[in-house]
Amino acid sequence: MKLPYIGILLLLVFGCCWITSDAAPKSQRASSSCGYASCTPSKPGVINVHVVPHTHDDVGWLKTVDQYYYGSKTGYQRAGVQYIIDSVIKELVKDPARRFIYVEMAFFSQWWQEQTEEKKAVVKQLVEEGRLEFINGGWCMNDEAGTHYNDIIDQMTWGMRFLNDTFGECGRPRIGWQIDPFGHSREQASIFASMGFDGVFFGRIDWVDRSQRKANKEMEMIWHTSNSPGEQSSIFTGIFYEHYSAPNGFCFDVVCRDEPFIDNPKSADYNVVKKVNDLVAHIKAKALSYATSNIMLTMGDDFNYMSADMNFKNMDKMIRYTNELGNGVNLFYSTPSCYVKAINDEAGSRPWPTKTDDFFPYSNDPHAYWTGYFTSRPAYKGTVRKANTFLQSCKQLHSLAGADSSADGQHLIDSLRRSMGEAQHHDAVAGTEKEHVSQDYRLRLHDSVVDCQQDVSNSFSKMLPIGSQPLPQQEFCLHLNVSQCAITESSSRFTVTAYNPRSHEVTTYVRLPVTNGFYTVLDPDGSEMIIQLVPLVALQSIDAERPKSTATHELLFQAAKIPPLGHKTFYIIKTSTGRGQHSAIREKQQSTTVRRAKTGEKIAISNGKLLVNFDANGLIESIIVDGETVMMSQNLMWYAAMNEGNSNSIFDDRPSGAYIFRPNGTDATPIAMQATLIVQTGALVSEVHQKFSDWASQVVRVYKGQSDVEIEWTVGPIPVGDGIGKEIVSRVTTQIPSGGRFYTDSNGRQTLLRRRNFRPTWTLNVSEPVAGNYYPINSHIYVTDDEGNADTVVALVNDRSQGGTSLQDGQIELMVHRRLLYDDHFGVGEPLNEPGDGPGLVVRGTHYLLVNPSLAGIHPISLIRPLAQQMFMRPWLSFSSTSLSFTNWKNNFNMQKSGLRAPLPDNVHMLTLEPWRDGTHLLRLEHVYDIGEHSTLSEPVTLILDDLLADYTITSAVETTLGGNQWASEVSRLPWTTADDHQQPLKVSTKFQPVGKTSVTLLPMEIRTFIIQMTPND
Ligand SMILES: [Zn+2]
């Protein structure tokens, strides 16, 4: 996305194995003329200016993905990607000196499919000569705040697989190019390093950080992206001088108004000397902030190059005349990878500064903190998170079923791979797109989920039958979160199959919307399960969301010990009367006691492990765990958004919007000081329904046997009739002396220390005390009482990405929803005011509150990680009606089975198992603990690959980089020297570990990727 006028002004002011060759990454086909071999060498004694022509093609923003590709709806934006690629190719062919980089495979792959063989041959030659280079190479340029690492790795992998299939080694990206995302995560950089990249560039860091780095020539550094020792997790990182656009006055694009080079000296408008002088002044100013004689000139912008002849004709002249007239500068066409190679060559053993934290939050003036988008479009963020769980399940089942893994055989999965790739774009899951674009994303995602559902059903049809009967079509209920599911509401005999995508056994509770009656739930052994029928307490706001539901209750039971990478089927019968022969059923069916709390009554609920006390106002007052009381309060509150028109200053007049969080200066206000309560208690779950208002409610639940408190919030439509935008937070306040410290995850993986009103590497002047302390939370946020030797921890684990902070010691808050009335002037051109079904969006989500007052030396994260993993990879339910008796069903279908021979060790997660090419599969194994997080689980762990799967022997496994597009044995990254507090300069160059024949050792937080062949066991 492009900065509009105001933004530009600001920038100016602040300045074993055997694998078939087809299945392999096509590294053997390297041409000697692509990659670093294609680079134009720098010259000594001058400023070498790498002219980098590029286009920034958002995979949806003001227009939908298709509208951008085809160039339609010019009223929104004049932008058509098909024309960009067409015209760039034509211009590249004209002159071998010209270069161009392309980034987004969502667009390029579509364009490629539409080309003739002749055109494809031309493009392949350009790629093999390094004239067209792919940078980043993911399906999109993903957001770094709202994305989970599983999603990032997948979307990068899918784009780079297209490149590898199409162009082989010359299509392999070497550089991360995150020029537009609004803040940069440590995990993202770690992922790039593990993909074998030699560097990453971006444009957006805090304006104060940038100005200090400029002054200190620290615009480029080596970023240590992991706590694990080992060189492979560090990466060269370059920050742009300003925006990623061309220098002021040098945008030669059809959408720009800058003057072209007018080089006829007789012309009254002759401007060569002036333009050269302007450019040289820009170059020399810029060179002062960079450490080597090389600088990069990014020549391009959003959707530039639709008429690439205009760009290249003028850039040709720019290069020629500046080299002729400009003293001491040397311009040439180049690429980001050639730039990195040039400075690596020049710097030699010169030490580079280092960085270990991240670049959040981003702000580009004292009042523009880009921390609102951490929460923007909360319903969509939740959908994306769930869709990832389903994509992983769908891919695992396809592999485990031995289903067709040819390209054609995977088409039902490909659809979701692509839509999830689009969803990670920095204006998609970020929530910073126009409303009509958001609707398009949701539709595309929904259609793809339906495709993958069919694939899952196909896989089950191959895997489950053991008798003569074919498996009934599996059905899926996407609206369980609003207690709506046609099959469970209307069938008197049905099965529910829970598939567990985790590598460990899982016990969870299943809640199914049903009508009142008596039910029998049989587990695979035929044992009757204890069930609890929980009445659906009418919540006005959510009823509108479930118009088709007839459910009056939820049928609740514990789905215990669902096998790892496996399924468990439960057989359910409804009987209408509950009399006579059903007396046995009634013993298993536990009732729920429901009552309305009296005003001022103090309520408590317990599950035996913990007890939650509510005060006389109906709010949580304390939690008792193991006999120890932790005093706390929790409430839903709202910030009043800054409106527009408060000031003449462009800084002071910034409203809260899709990108920006800017409360109006006051603290958050409780939605209500009192909640009315309905208390439901039973054998399996006890819950307190808190109603704060017609648009805000919660259910606080404790399930039998579980150590966390579930807080399900329902918020919306947020009232804005008073002309005030509102941003809703859930705030937990305790007395824990957290000393200004709190901890947040990085893309759901690493955990980073945050300090209130503080940045680790530069001096923060607190201009927005709330928004400037917000960080992206993908998985967890916690506070504890002592950094080294904590007694007590209070954590929230979330079910979607949100913004969060700790504004007072002992306090944590997460923003759950926002509805705003003004655009924040960063380009989207709409207030973030989601209509939902009309009156405003209603959102429901869950926080898992974890409290432990007696850590006794245990690292808090060792309690949080298992919970976070469980919430991230929840079992996926599918249903079928049946007329078969239980016995018949059991005789015909496998009701319980693991895809693994044994559960993986507690510190290992199988991040990826998916069909790859021509009978091979992609496997990723991940160590899920960091150094020092656990006395034993943080140790390296070794697995024997051959014996991993239950029904297959892994007969070959070859390690690749994280992206699956290069053999690990062929990785050779550029070496760098650093100036951090290591005893001696650290060489960052790496060789990945050699593959063991059958055993794989994972270091803390390490992910290892393999292309495997699976041979069925007989
Ligand atoms: Zn963008």
Side-chain angles (χ1 to χ4, degrees), residues 1-2 56-58 141 180-182 244 302 425-427:
M1 63 133 278
K2 178 173 177 161
H56 177 68
D57 297 348
D58 291 306
M141 180 186 296
D180 199 21
F182 331 124
Y244 51 78
D302 297 11
H425 168 61
H426 58 268
D427 294 304

